[in-house]
Amino acid sequence: MAVYIEYVLLDNIIIDYLLLKYTFKLLGGESGFWRLFFCACTGAAFAALLPLVSLPLWASLPIKALFAAGLVWAAGKFRTKRSYFLSLAVFHLYTFLLGGSVTGIFNLFSLPLDREYSVGLVILAAYLLI
């Protein structure tokens, strides 16, 4: 299966942006477009580069969790520690639910994830679900 980096980046930038935007929207947090966009681009670069490093699962999970914590911290303006941790929890919850839902939809309709049009379908599904 061929993976095109521009599709991975585009898909991740848009979905990361949506996850961050709606995390702050749900909680009434403060964040601007450019801050969210920069964090989404950083998250997409991380998602594209991490598979290139061979790590066992026990090592990659804490790295991903710490990176997500950094992304949420960089994306928002927090008045209290509680608001930061609540935002981080909602971000993780959205990520978990969205990933499972999109995977479920693709499996339900037997849609392949390795086609060019799949990027658009994943983004559309993510947007509609979130």
Side-chain angles (χ1 to χ4, degrees):
M1 173 174 68
V3 177
Y4 298 99
I5 191 73
E6 60 270 10
Y7 294 141
V8 171
L9 289 174
L10 177 65
D11 190 37
N12 273 283
I13 288 170
I14 293 170
I15 291 175
D16 285 351
Y17 179 83
L18 289 172
L19 289 168
L20 289 166
K21 177 182 176 183
Y22 286 102
T23 293
F24 291 111
K25 193 170 201 167
L26 176 71
L27 299 173
E30 294 180 47
S31 190
F33 171 80
W34 290 110
R35 181 181 284 223
L36 292 174
F37 182 72
F38 173 75
C39 289
C41 289
T42 305
F46 178 77
L49 294 175
L50 189 64
L52 301 177
V53 179
S54 180
L55 291 173
L57 183 64
W58 64 266
S60 67
L61 287 178
I63 291 171
K64 290 176 185 178
L66 287 172
F67 194 83
L71 269 184
V72 172
W73 177 79
K77 299 174 186 172
F78 303 100
R79 299 181 203 280
T80 64
K81 290 179 186 178
R82 181 182 183 276
S83 65
Y84 164 72
F85 285 111
L86 186 58
S87 297
L88 181 59
V90 168
F91 178 76
H92 279 297
L93 181 65
Y94 272 167
T95 302
F96 178 75
L97 293 175
L98 189 64
S101 299
V102 170
T103 301
I105 289 170
F106 270 70
N107 287 336
L108 182 67
F109 294 107
S110 299
L111 298 171
L113 281 168
D114 61 347
R115 303 282 191 262
E116 290 181 18
Y117 64 83
S118 296
V119 173
L121 289 177
V122 168
I123 292 169
L124 177 64
Y127 180 75
L128 293 174
L129 288 167
I130 204 163

